[in-house]
Amino acid sequence: MLTGADFDRLRTIRATRPHAIREALVARRRREVTRGDGRLFIVAADHPARGALAVGSDPMAMANRYLLLDRLAIALSRPGVDGVLGTPDIIDDLAALGLLDHKIIVGSMNRGGLRGARFEMDDRFTGYDVPTMVSSGIDFAKTLLRVDLDDPGTVTTLEATARAVSQASAASLPIMLEPFLSRRSDGRIVNDLSTEAVILSIAIASGLGGSSAYTWMKLPVVAEMERVMEATTLPTLLLGGDSGADPDETFAAWGDALSLPGVRGLTAGRTLLYPPDGDVAAAVDTAASLVHSAGVLAL
């Protein structure tokens, strides 16, 4: 969808007119966060800034920025896609390319817990901050909250997340928290996806900050999702996660979970941007139909 001329223009803007990026963000045509059926379908692309470039068995799948931007452009052009989640570098590229009109922008805040680092659980807020998002017209904030009870870095992340929630609430900026109970296994951080662990992570995350009025949840699809959704009154988006071996099975699980009370939509990235058959448009269209048909049914 994007051409060499588009990328030439992007490189020229970055080198000679960097002020045009902020101008594009501020001037873009915005929309209400929730409208129509009240559902949201957000395409996620904040993984590279954490050093997480792998998709499936390919450790460098997301390394080519031009290919990633082209896949994002395809996704954002499809009907039913409400917006994009990214770090400032991704969002700035998309703004400079003129791809964000009438789209919700979700700014990713904490990327300091680099994949594989000894300090991974001390997940510093090294991306967006609330004042920058407000002044640039970013519509939504997002944080990752992994809780490892054996790692002292967790308390720093909890404190920073609480501060971000308070700041977002004071600015009337919606903020989604993506909580997990996590642990180290063979030198890697592993998220506990048991029903009980997800419920406990919700309880911990929900109480952060001086107000939960603008807090949303971003939750994985796990067993007994009915019990999971009984653990919170906060509006919830489902987490897409990495691409699985069977896309049909993934879509079916999303469809079931999207019908539950409190579930407001889906945030998915690698599963849709790097599908096994390479057809980004088809994968995105399938997910969009699940999100927005579920909204109609819920009404």
Side-chain angles (χ1 to χ4, degrees), residues 39 226 229 238 253-264 290-291 294-295 297-298:
R39 314 284 282 191
E226 297 85 355
M229 291 310 302
L238 302 177
W254 290 354
D256 290 342
L258 282 162
S259 67
L260 296 173
V263 176
R264 287 276 177 170
L290 291 173
V291 171
L297 292 173

XYZ file of all heavy atoms in Angstrom, residues 39 226 229 238 253-264 290-291 294-295 297-298:
160
model
N -17.788 -0.175 20.662
C -16.702 -1.148 20.651
C -15.437 -0.525 20.061
O -15.498 0.418 19.274
C -17.082 -2.371 19.811
C -18.469 -2.914 20.087
C -18.529 -3.673 21.372
N -17.967 -5.010 21.233
C -18.090 -5.957 22.160
N -18.738 -5.724 23.286
N -17.563 -7.151 21.975
N -15.467 -16.024 31.753
C -16.618 -15.501 32.501
C -16.206 -15.101 33.910
O -16.590 -14.027 34.409
C -17.747 -16.545 32.569
C -18.343 -16.923 31.223
C -17.553 -18.021 30.517
O -16.477 -18.423 31.037
O -17.998 -18.466 29.447
N -14.050 -11.875 33.844
C -14.792 -10.625 33.665
C -15.694 -10.300 34.856
O -16.124 -9.157 35.006
C -15.608 -10.677 32.377
C -14.752 -10.660 31.114
S -13.514 -9.324 31.117
C -14.559 -7.882 31.313
N -9.687 -6.995 24.940
C -8.967 -8.257 24.918
C -7.588 -8.061 24.321
O -7.391 -7.251 23.412
C -9.727 -9.304 24.102
C -11.155 -9.617 24.549
C -11.785 -10.619 23.583
C -11.195 -10.133 25.974
N -11.753 -18.142 19.872
C -11.628 -17.767 21.281
C -11.943 -16.290 21.478
O -12.618 -15.905 22.443
C -10.213 -18.085 21.777
N -11.460 -15.448 20.561
C -11.788 -14.019 20.647
C -13.288 -13.807 20.541
O -13.869 -13.023 21.284
C -11.098 -13.250 19.519
C -9.630 -13.130 19.646
C -8.836 -13.518 20.700
C -8.724 -12.604 18.662
N -7.514 -13.255 20.441
C -7.411 -12.694 19.210
C -8.896 -12.070 17.394
C -6.289 -12.266 18.494
C -7.773 -11.635 16.680
C -6.494 -11.737 17.238
N -13.915 -14.483 19.585
C -15.350 -14.313 19.380
C -16.150 -14.658 20.627
O -17.086 -13.932 20.999
N -15.787 -15.752 21.289
C -16.488 -16.137 22.517
C -16.310 -15.079 23.606
O -17.265 -14.684 24.275
C -15.972 -17.490 23.020
C -16.389 -18.645 22.124
O -17.326 -18.483 21.327
O -15.739 -19.714 22.205
N -15.080 -14.625 23.787
C -14.802 -13.661 24.862
C -15.427 -12.303 24.580
O -15.827 -11.590 25.507
C -13.296 -13.522 25.052
N -15.531 -11.922 23.316
C -16.095 -10.617 22.959
C -17.578 -10.503 23.301
O -18.116 -9.398 23.375
C -15.895 -10.347 21.463
C -14.487 -9.891 21.074
C -14.260 -10.063 19.580
C -14.261 -8.442 21.483
N -18.228 -11.634 23.523
C -19.655 -11.605 23.845
C -19.924 -11.394 25.328
O -21.078 -11.237 25.733
C -20.313 -12.919 23.402
O -19.836 -14.015 24.183
N -18.877 -11.370 26.156
C -19.060 -11.278 27.603
C -19.328 -9.844 28.047
O -18.796 -8.894 27.476
C -17.811 -11.805 28.324
C -17.506 -13.286 28.121
C -16.166 -13.628 28.751
C -18.615 -14.149 28.707
N -20.140 -9.667 29.095
C -20.379 -8.324 29.633
C -19.080 -7.676 30.078
O -18.223 -8.317 30.686
C -21.302 -8.591 30.831
C -21.953 -9.900 30.547
C -20.932 -10.701 29.794
N -18.924 -6.417 29.747
C -17.732 -5.675 30.136
C -16.644 -5.651 29.091
O -15.763 -4.787 29.130
N -16.659 -6.608 28.158
C -15.653 -6.628 27.092
C -16.071 -5.641 26.016
O -17.154 -5.742 25.450
C -15.484 -8.037 26.496
C -14.498 -7.995 25.321
C -15.001 -9.011 27.558
N -15.197 -4.690 25.739
C -15.505 -3.583 24.834
C -14.766 -3.673 23.507
O -14.908 -2.775 22.671
C -15.149 -2.263 25.502
C -16.112 -1.869 26.611
C -17.313 -1.172 26.043
N -18.314 -0.831 27.025
C -19.361 -0.049 26.749
N -19.511 0.446 25.543
N -20.248 0.211 27.680
N -15.517 -9.658 14.093
C -15.790 -10.223 15.412
C -16.072 -9.125 16.428
O -17.016 -9.217 17.220
C -14.592 -11.055 15.885
C -14.304 -12.353 15.146
C -12.988 -12.945 15.631
C -15.435 -13.360 15.332
N -15.259 -8.065 16.409
C -15.422 -6.991 17.384
C -16.742 -6.276 17.200
O -17.521 -6.106 18.160
C -14.262 -5.983 17.277
C -14.543 -4.743 18.134
C -12.946 -6.627 17.680
N -20.067 -8.381 17.496
C -20.338 -8.662 18.909
C -20.972 -7.464 19.573
O -21.848 -7.579 20.435
C -19.045 -9.040 19.633
N -20.547 -6.246 19.162
C -21.130 -5.046 19.729
C -22.586 -4.896 19.373
O -23.416 -4.517 20.195
N -24.630 -7.352 18.632
C -25.369 -8.358 19.393
C -25.592 -7.929 20.832
O -26.647 -8.170 21.423
C -24.616 -9.694 19.336
C -24.559 -10.387 17.966
C -23.644 -11.601 18.030
C -25.936 -10.782 17.488
N -24.557 -7.287 21.409
C -24.656 -6.878 22.811
C -25.716 -5.813 23.020
O -26.335 -5.715 24.076
C -23.303 -6.359 23.301
